[in-house]
Amino acid sequence: MMTKIFPVAATAIIGSAGAFQFPTGDVVLQSRSAATYFRGTRSKTGLRIASVAPPTDEPATIIVDDLLPELRSSDSFDWFKAWHPVVPVEYLDVEKPHAFKLLGIDVVIWNDGPIDKNPAFQPRKDRVNDAKKSVGQWRAFVDECPHRKVPLSEGRIEDDGSLFCSYHGWRFNGQGETIDVPQISHGELMRIKANPKSNCNSFPVQVVDGVLWVWPDASDDARIESALTSVPSNDYEGEDIDKDRLWLGPWNFRELPYGHDYFIENVVDPAHVPVSHHNVVGSRYSDQSLHIETLRPLSKSGFSIGVKNAHTASDMSSTTFNAPSQVLIKQPFGRDGARQYLELYSSPSRPGFSNHVGRIVIVKDSSKTTPKLLGVFTLPMPIWVNHVLASLFLNQDALFLHGQERAFTHTGKYRTAVPANDSYSKNVLPTSADKGVMLFRGWMSKFAAGYIPFRGDTTMSASNKEVVFDVWNAHTKNCKYCLTALKRIKTARKMTFFASALVATIRPKVLGVVGSTLTALGLSGLGLLFSKLIGMFYRFEFSHADNH
């Protein structure tokens, strides 16, 4: 039913009908000794994936260690010395601070730009009438005031570009330095400012292709280390592409109700797509046999696989994981250079949740023509509509992943927040179609110690259907486009219901009883549709019973 109501939903979000290919063969999981490292302590674990052949044949085996010789390395990955995507800055209100989570850390994201006329610490009512907030530098601090540790995200951004704590009025500049404490003398203020404890924990940030990336380390070396580390981005395979050939879809962002590792595992798994996303991307009744091969062997930087539906003539797509945050899915269209990219990013927000950012990128062919199959994705659509409909796609498998992660955690079989080594792999039954999944779990085990080292509370929340479908907290409250649209739709609903009552009570003499009744009912129906749309900014439930 949902796919009939919103036939453009796939175009609004991830539109990857060709980017995902579809599974063949069974696989059994066995163990074999292989060298792996966890926090400098050597342990013996390993995997063997064997394709199940007819009983009379010797099974063909795929040994992870043989396929991935680069795994034997003690060069471990440090989650706190890496760039992590948080949110596209275009959607943030520059007038207020925003609260996010990253690796279990409460983070406040804000912009230090002053107003463009008479920037001063003053009440908003005293602004020059036509003054506007300028866009300065985006900042990321630990979300606590150094004074009494209350959240700075509950504060304000003042007209002079300072961050104001709403508890006692301490103010901070973009570098995190205390610039004012209103209750104390100038001499005491100087002593407070000289104390390093008065500085906010400020993280390095970069804005790349409109997305804010945060380096979650506030140490003295963080600025240098972050400057020497590049942010993953779509380089279109190193090709210098004419801008006229590029169509960049709008970014979508949301805190998903399952962990970063489950998100990455899901998007490097082409086999689930026609099943979980039936009638949006592919069909569960189509031929789903797959040929998957390794294009780039696993290393600390990630891996790449090639995916082809064995029974179609389409070109092979590729799925590339660039550690720790990017998955790039490429699908060629024709022989003239046209292709589609599904550009996906994720970062661990807190146990059982992840920050997701994603978009579609289309490269037109050499004549700058968009292939017909991709043209529907480029149809003009308001950003807020794109964001609302994104839930249709994202919620199709959200319940699966939300429940799966919590089942593993609460039964003690695997916990993302504690060292796991191969415990996840030992509790599943992979097939040959799960090559991408097993490569990613290999990366987690070999290079990331098998877990994500969250700060603070590492408790996994219980399964909760309401959390899965909660769009308000996951997206809307931080998106200025959706908040503006929500306000306007609420106003339109009030006007519609008012007009309905007016027609029903005042206009019968002009329209007649029948005419006024029908008009009033029509306006009421329109108001109810507005109510339905308003609800989608707060909650979007997807039922697989409707996925016909």
Side-chain angles (χ1 to χ4, degrees), residues 157-190:
I157 300 175
E158 297 297 333
D159 284 356
D160 63 352
S162 62
L163 180 61
F164 178 91
C165 176
S166 292
Y167 194 22
H168 293 98
W170 286 43
R171 288 192 295 129
F172 308 92
N173 62 19
Q175 288 72 43
E177 300 167 339
T178 299
I179 59 174
D180 187 37
V181 179
Q183 300 88 6
I184 63 178
S185 67
H186 178 73
E188 186 178 357
L189 175 61
M190 292 300 101

mmCIF file of all heavy atoms in Angstrom, residues 157-190:
data_model
loop_
_atom_site.group_PDB
_atom_site.id
_atom_site.type_symbol
_atom_site.label_atom_id
_atom_site.label_comp_id
_atom_site.label_asym_id
_atom_site.label_seq_id
_atom_site.Cartn_x
_atom_site.Cartn_y
_atom_site.Cartn_z
ATOM 1 N N ILE A 157 22.802 31.145 20.610
ATOM 2 C CA ILE A 157 23.878 31.784 19.856
ATOM 3 C C ILE A 157 23.541 33.265 19.801
ATOM 4 O O ILE A 157 22.485 33.656 19.288
ATOM 5 C CB ILE A 157 24.021 31.200 18.444
ATOM 6 C CG1 ILE A 157 24.325 29.704 18.521
ATOM 7 C CG2 ILE A 157 25.134 31.932 17.689
ATOM 8 C CD1 ILE A 157 24.377 29.017 17.179
ATOM 9 N N GLU A 158 24.431 34.088 20.344
ATOM 10 C CA GLU A 158 24.157 35.512 20.452
ATOM 11 C C GLU A 158 24.519 36.245 19.161
ATOM 12 O O GLU A 158 25.194 35.710 18.283
ATOM 13 C CB GLU A 158 24.928 36.098 21.636
ATOM 14 C CG GLU A 158 24.512 35.520 22.980
ATOM 15 C CD GLU A 158 23.062 35.828 23.327
ATOM 16 O OE1 GLU A 158 22.530 36.860 22.841
ATOM 17 O OE2 GLU A 158 22.452 35.041 24.081
ATOM 18 N N ASP A 159 24.063 37.502 19.080
ATOM 19 C CA ASP A 159 24.277 38.294 17.868
ATOM 20 C C ASP A 159 25.743 38.579 17.589
ATOM 21 O O ASP A 159 26.122 38.904 16.460
ATOM 22 C CB ASP A 159 23.514 39.620 17.956
ATOM 23 C CG ASP A 159 22.017 39.445 17.726
ATOM 24 O OD1 ASP A 159 21.598 38.307 17.423
ATOM 25 O OD2 ASP A 159 21.267 40.437 17.848
ATOM 26 N N ASP A 160 26.585 38.493 18.622
ATOM 27 C CA ASP A 160 28.017 38.710 18.400
ATOM 28 C C ASP A 160 28.738 37.429 18.000
ATOM 29 O O ASP A 160 29.963 37.421 17.850
ATOM 30 C CB ASP A 160 28.672 39.322 19.640
ATOM 31 C CG ASP A 160 28.598 38.404 20.865
ATOM 32 O OD1 ASP A 160 27.909 37.357 20.785
ATOM 33 O OD2 ASP A 160 29.215 38.735 21.891
ATOM 34 N N GLY A 161 27.992 36.317 17.839
ATOM 35 C CA GLY A 161 28.583 35.060 17.424
ATOM 36 C C GLY A 161 29.102 34.214 18.559
ATOM 37 O O GLY A 161 29.807 33.230 18.322
ATOM 38 N N SER A 162 28.774 34.540 19.795
ATOM 39 C CA SER A 162 29.211 33.745 20.942
ATOM 40 C C SER A 162 28.145 32.719 21.307
ATOM 41 O O SER A 162 26.959 32.897 21.002
ATOM 42 C CB SER A 162 29.510 34.650 22.145
ATOM 43 O OG SER A 162 28.345 35.351 22.548
ATOM 44 N N LEU A 163 28.578 31.666 21.985
ATOM 45 C CA LEU A 163 27.675 30.625 22.470
ATOM 46 C C LEU A 163 27.379 30.918 23.936
ATOM 47 O O LEU A 163 28.297 31.026 24.764
ATOM 48 C CB LEU A 163 28.318 29.251 22.312
ATOM 49 C CG LEU A 163 27.491 28.046 22.771
ATOM 50 C CD1 LEU A 163 26.187 27.933 21.987
ATOM 51 C CD2 LEU A 163 28.309 26.751 22.613
ATOM 52 N N PHE A 164 26.114 31.044 24.250
ATOM 53 C CA PHE A 164 25.656 31.478 25.566
ATOM 54 C C PHE A 164 25.077 30.298 26.331
ATOM 55 O O PHE A 164 24.203 29.583 25.828
ATOM 56 C CB PHE A 164 24.591 32.563 25.367
ATOM 57 C CG PHE A 164 23.965 33.102 26.622
ATOM 58 C CD1 PHE A 164 24.505 34.211 27.261
ATOM 59 C CD2 PHE A 164 22.803 32.534 27.149
ATOM 60 C CE1 PHE A 164 23.909 34.736 28.401
ATOM 61 C CE2 PHE A 164 22.209 33.051 28.287
ATOM 62 C CZ PHE A 164 22.758 34.155 28.920
ATOM 63 N N CYS A 165 25.562 30.070 27.542
ATOM 64 C CA CYS A 165 25.007 29.031 28.407
ATOM 65 C C CYS A 165 23.811 29.618 29.155
ATOM 66 O O CYS A 165 23.952 30.617 29.881
ATOM 67 C CB CYS A 165 26.055 28.513 29.392
ATOM 68 S SG CYS A 165 25.395 27.293 30.564
ATOM 69 N N SER A 166 22.665 28.998 29.013
ATOM 70 C CA SER A 166 21.430 29.548 29.578
ATOM 71 C C SER A 166 21.276 29.322 31.075
ATOM 72 O O SER A 166 20.268 29.719 31.655
ATOM 73 C CB SER A 166 20.217 28.948 28.846
ATOM 74 O OG SER A 166 20.158 29.409 27.518
ATOM 75 N N TYR A 167 22.270 28.688 31.726
ATOM 76 C CA TYR A 167 22.170 28.455 33.162
ATOM 77 C C TYR A 167 22.700 29.651 33.958
ATOM 78 O O TYR A 167 21.993 30.234 34.770
ATOM 79 C CB TYR A 167 22.918 27.167 33.522
ATOM 80 C CG TYR A 167 22.624 26.618 34.908
ATOM 81 C CD1 TYR A 167 21.451 26.945 35.589
ATOM 82 C CD2 TYR A 167 23.524 25.764 35.518
ATOM 83 C CE1 TYR A 167 21.176 26.432 36.852
ATOM 84 C CE2 TYR A 167 23.262 25.239 36.793
ATOM 85 C CZ TYR A 167 22.095 25.585 37.451
ATOM 86 O OH TYR A 167 21.834 25.070 38.697
ATOM 87 N N HIS A 168 23.946 30.047 33.710
ATOM 88 C CA HIS A 168 24.532 31.170 34.440
ATOM 89 C C HIS A 168 25.073 32.270 33.515
ATOM 90 O O HIS A 168 25.674 33.240 33.988
ATOM 91 C CB HIS A 168 25.673 30.691 35.354
ATOM 92 C CG HIS A 168 25.205 29.835 36.479
ATOM 93 N ND1 HIS A 168 25.266 28.457 36.428
ATOM 94 C CD2 HIS A 168 24.651 30.160 37.685
ATOM 95 C CE1 HIS A 168 24.780 27.957 37.558
ATOM 96 N NE2 HIS A 168 24.396 28.961 38.330
ATOM 97 N N GLY A 169 24.880 32.115 32.215
ATOM 98 C CA GLY A 169 25.258 33.184 31.305
ATOM 99 C C GLY A 169 26.709 33.209 30.886
ATOM 100 O O GLY A 169 27.178 34.210 30.334
ATOM 101 N N TRP A 170 27.443 32.125 31.131
ATOM 102 C CA TRP A 170 28.806 32.076 30.605
ATOM 103 C C TRP A 170 28.720 32.112 29.079
ATOM 104 O O TRP A 170 27.816 31.523 28.475
ATOM 105 C CB TRP A 170 29.504 30.795 31.061
ATOM 106 C CG TRP A 170 29.932 30.767 32.502
ATOM 107 C CD1 TRP A 170 29.210 31.194 33.575
ATOM 108 C CD2 TRP A 170 31.167 30.275 33.009
ATOM 109 N NE1 TRP A 170 29.907 30.996 34.730
ATOM 110 C CE2 TRP A 170 31.131 30.435 34.426
ATOM 111 C CE3 TRP A 170 32.313 29.720 32.433
ATOM 112 C CZ2 TRP A 170 32.179 30.058 35.249
ATOM 113 C CZ3 TRP A 170 33.359 29.334 33.257
ATOM 114 C CH2 TRP A 170 33.298 29.506 34.648
ATOM 115 N N ARG A 171 29.713 32.774 28.461
ATOM 116 C CA ARG A 171 29.757 32.838 26.994
ATOM 117 C C ARG A 171 31.114 32.368 26.491
ATOM 118 O O ARG A 171 32.145 32.572 27.146
ATOM 119 C CB ARG A 171 29.467 34.253 26.489
ATOM 120 C CG ARG A 171 28.009 34.649 26.640
ATOM 121 C CD ARG A 171 27.691 35.912 25.877
ATOM 122 N NE ARG A 171 28.388 37.080 26.403
ATOM 123 C CZ ARG A 171 29.110 37.922 25.663
ATOM 124 N NH1 ARG A 171 29.259 37.712 24.348
ATOM 125 N NH2 ARG A 171 29.687 38.972 26.219
ATOM 126 N N PHE A 172 31.078 31.766 25.290
ATOM 127 C CA PHE A 172 32.282 31.159 24.714
ATOM 128 C C PHE A 172 32.419 31.586 23.259
ATOM 129 O O PHE A 172 31.427 31.735 22.532
ATOM 130 C CB PHE A 172 32.195 29.629 24.804
ATOM 131 C CG PHE A 172 31.884 29.137 26.189
ATOM 132 C CD1 PHE A 172 30.570 28.907 26.578
ATOM 133 C CD2 PHE A 172 32.895 28.933 27.107
ATOM 134 C CE1 PHE A 172 30.260 28.476 27.854
ATOM 135 C CE2 PHE A 172 32.611 28.500 28.397
ATOM 136 C CZ PHE A 172 31.289 28.267 28.776
ATOM 137 N N ASN A 173 33.668 31.754 22.816
ATOM 138 C CA ASN A 173 33.908 32.056 21.406
ATOM 139 C C ASN A 173 34.051 30.760 20.606
ATOM 140 O O ASN A 173 33.936 29.660 21.153
ATOM 141 C CB ASN A 173 35.124 32.970 21.237
ATOM 142 C CG ASN A 173 36.415 32.323 21.729
ATOM 143 O OD1 ASN A 173 36.526 31.099 21.877
ATOM 144 N ND2 ASN A 173 37.422 33.150 21.983
ATOM 145 N N GLY A 174 34.327 30.886 19.327
ATOM 146 C CA GLY A 174 34.404 29.714 18.460
ATOM 147 C C GLY A 174 35.524 28.752 18.804
ATOM 148 O O GLY A 174 35.462 27.574 18.440
ATOM 149 N N GLN A 175 36.543 29.230 19.485
ATOM 150 C CA GLN A 175 37.650 28.357 19.898
ATOM 151 C C GLN A 175 37.357 27.648 21.220
ATOM 152 O O GLN A 175 38.161 26.849 21.694
ATOM 153 C CB GLN A 175 38.945 29.166 20.043
ATOM 154 C CG GLN A 175 39.549 29.614 18.725
ATOM 155 C CD GLN A 175 38.752 30.728 18.064
ATOM 156 O OE1 GLN A 175 38.322 31.667 18.724
ATOM 157 N NE2 GLN A 175 38.545 30.611 16.760
ATOM 158 N N GLY A 176 36.205 27.957 21.814
ATOM 159 C CA GLY A 176 35.834 27.319 23.067
ATOM 160 C C GLY A 176 36.333 28.056 24.290
ATOM 161 O O GLY A 176 36.210 27.555 25.416
ATOM 162 N N GLU A 177 36.867 29.241 24.105
ATOM 163 C CA GLU A 177 37.401 30.016 25.220
ATOM 164 C C GLU A 177 36.286 30.787 25.916
ATOM 165 O O GLU A 177 35.398 31.357 25.264
ATOM 166 C CB GLU A 177 38.463 30.993 24.711
ATOM 167 C CG GLU A 177 39.649 30.328 24.041
ATOM 168 C CD GLU A 177 40.515 31.308 23.280
ATOM 169 O OE1 GLU A 177 40.023 32.407 22.930
ATOM 170 O OE2 GLU A 177 41.690 30.979 23.023
ATOM 171 N N THR A 178 36.352 30.839 27.240
ATOM 172 C CA THR A 178 35.397 31.631 28.012
ATOM 173 C C THR A 178 35.684 33.113 27.782
ATOM 174 O O THR A 178 36.821 33.572 27.943
ATOM 175 C CB THR A 178 35.515 31.320 29.511
ATOM 176 O OG1 THR A 178 35.217 29.944 29.729
ATOM 177 C CG2 THR A 178 34.546 32.172 30.323
ATOM 178 N N ILE A 179 34.655 33.855 27.384
ATOM 179 C CA ILE A 179 34.858 35.283 27.135
ATOM 180 C C ILE A 179 34.073 36.152 28.115
ATOM 181 O O ILE A 179 34.322 37.363 28.209
ATOM 182 C CB ILE A 179 34.488 35.675 25.686
ATOM 183 C CG1 ILE A 179 33.027 35.340 25.375
ATOM 184 C CG2 ILE A 179 35.413 34.984 24.703
ATOM 185 C CD1 ILE A 179 32.572 35.832 24.009
ATOM 186 N N ASP A 180 33.125 35.562 28.850
ATOM 187 C CA ASP A 180 32.382 36.380 29.812
ATOM 188 C C ASP A 180 31.729 35.498 30.865
ATOM 189 O O ASP A 180 31.220 34.404 30.553
ATOM 190 C CB ASP A 180 31.304 37.206 29.099
ATOM 191 C CG ASP A 180 30.629 38.192 30.036
ATOM 192 O OD1 ASP A 180 31.325 38.766 30.905
ATOM 193 O OD2 ASP A 180 29.403 38.390 29.912
ATOM 194 N N VAL A 181 31.784 35.976 32.108
ATOM 195 C CA VAL A 181 31.027 35.400 33.223
ATOM 196 C C VAL A 181 30.371 36.589 33.910
ATOM 197 O O VAL A 181 31.059 37.405 34.549
ATOM 198 C CB VAL A 181 31.942 34.636 34.206
ATOM 199 C CG1 VAL A 181 31.111 34.084 35.365
ATOM 200 C CG2 VAL A 181 32.679 33.510 33.488
ATOM 201 N N PRO A 182 29.060 36.759 33.791
ATOM 202 C CA PRO A 182 28.429 38.030 34.185
ATOM 203 C C PRO A 182 28.422 38.322 35.679
ATOM 204 O O PRO A 182 28.263 39.493 36.070
ATOM 205 C CB PRO A 182 26.999 37.882 33.648
ATOM 206 C CG PRO A 182 26.757 36.418 33.547
ATOM 207 C CD PRO A 182 28.091 35.832 33.191
ATOM 208 N N GLN A 183 28.619 37.341 36.541
ATOM 209 C CA GLN A 183 28.465 37.578 37.975
ATOM 210 C C GLN A 183 29.760 37.992 38.682
ATOM 211 O O GLN A 183 29.746 38.288 39.879
ATOM 212 C CB GLN A 183 27.922 36.314 38.671
ATOM 213 C CG GLN A 183 26.567 35.856 38.177
ATOM 214 C CD GLN A 183 26.658 34.922 36.984
ATOM 215 O OE1 GLN A 183 27.748 34.517 36.583
ATOM 216 N NE2 GLN A 183 25.498 34.593 36.397
ATOM 217 N N ILE A 184 30.893 37.975 37.996
ATOM 218 C CA ILE A 184 32.171 38.157 38.689
ATOM 219 C C ILE A 184 32.911 39.394 38.182
ATOM 220 O O ILE A 184 32.583 39.953 37.130
ATOM 221 C CB ILE A 184 33.073 36.910 38.540
ATOM 222 C CG1 ILE A 184 33.423 36.672 37.064
ATOM 223 C CG2 ILE A 184 32.382 35.682 39.122
ATOM 224 C CD1 ILE A 184 34.361 35.478 36.846
ATOM 225 N N SER A 185 33.914 39.786 38.944
ATOM 226 C CA SER A 185 34.702 40.968 38.580
ATOM 227 C C SER A 185 35.628 40.666 37.409
ATOM 228 O O SER A 185 35.863 39.497 37.068
ATOM 229 C CB SER A 185 35.546 41.417 39.783
ATOM 230 O OG SER A 185 36.540 40.435 40.069
ATOM 231 N N HIS A 186 36.171 41.736 36.838
ATOM 232 C CA HIS A 186 37.091 41.568 35.711
ATOM 233 C C HIS A 186 38.334 40.779 36.137
ATOM 234 O O HIS A 186 38.815 39.919 35.392
ATOM 235 C CB HIS A 186 37.507 42.937 35.172
ATOM 236 C CG HIS A 186 38.496 42.847 34.046
ATOM 237 N ND1 HIS A 186 38.158 42.439 32.772
ATOM 238 C CD2 HIS A 186 39.852 43.101 34.019
ATOM 239 C CE1 HIS A 186 39.231 42.457 32.003
ATOM 240 N NE2 HIS A 186 40.265 42.852 32.741
ATOM 241 N N GLY A 187 38.830 41.043 37.340
ATOM 242 C CA GLY A 187 40.015 40.329 37.804
ATOM 243 C C GLY A 187 39.757 38.843 37.956
ATOM 244 O O GLY A 187 40.591 38.014 37.561
ATOM 245 N N GLU A 188 38.609 38.488 38.533
ATOM 246 C CA GLU A 188 38.290 37.062 38.672
ATOM 247 C C GLU A 188 38.075 36.429 37.306
ATOM 248 O O GLU A 188 38.458 35.276 37.068
ATOM 249 C CB GLU A 188 37.054 36.870 39.546
ATOM 250 C CG GLU A 188 36.768 35.394 39.835
ATOM 251 C CD GLU A 188 35.574 35.183 40.748
ATOM 252 O OE1 GLU A 188 34.991 36.181 41.214
ATOM 253 O OE2 GLU A 188 35.221 34.009 40.983
ATOM 254 N N LEU A 189 37.476 37.185 36.383
ATOM 255 C CA LEU A 189 37.275 36.661 35.025
ATOM 256 C C LEU A 189 38.617 36.326 34.387
ATOM 257 O O LEU A 189 38.755 35.287 33.717
ATOM 258 C CB LEU A 189 36.519 37.675 34.171
ATOM 259 C CG LEU A 189 36.341 37.308 32.689
ATOM 260 C CD1 LEU A 189 35.545 36.016 32.538
ATOM 261 C CD2 LEU A 189 35.657 38.453 31.930
ATOM 262 N N MET A 190 39.605 37.180 34.576
ATOM 263 C CA MET A 190 40.921 36.919 34.005
ATOM 264 C C MET A 190 41.522 35.639 34.598
ATOM 265 O O MET A 190 42.172 34.856 33.885
ATOM 266 C CB MET A 190 41.861 38.099 34.260
ATOM 267 C CG MET A 190 41.500 39.378 33.508
ATOM 268 S SD MET A 190 41.500 39.180 31.700
ATOM 269 C CE MET A 190 39.743 39.031 31.360
#
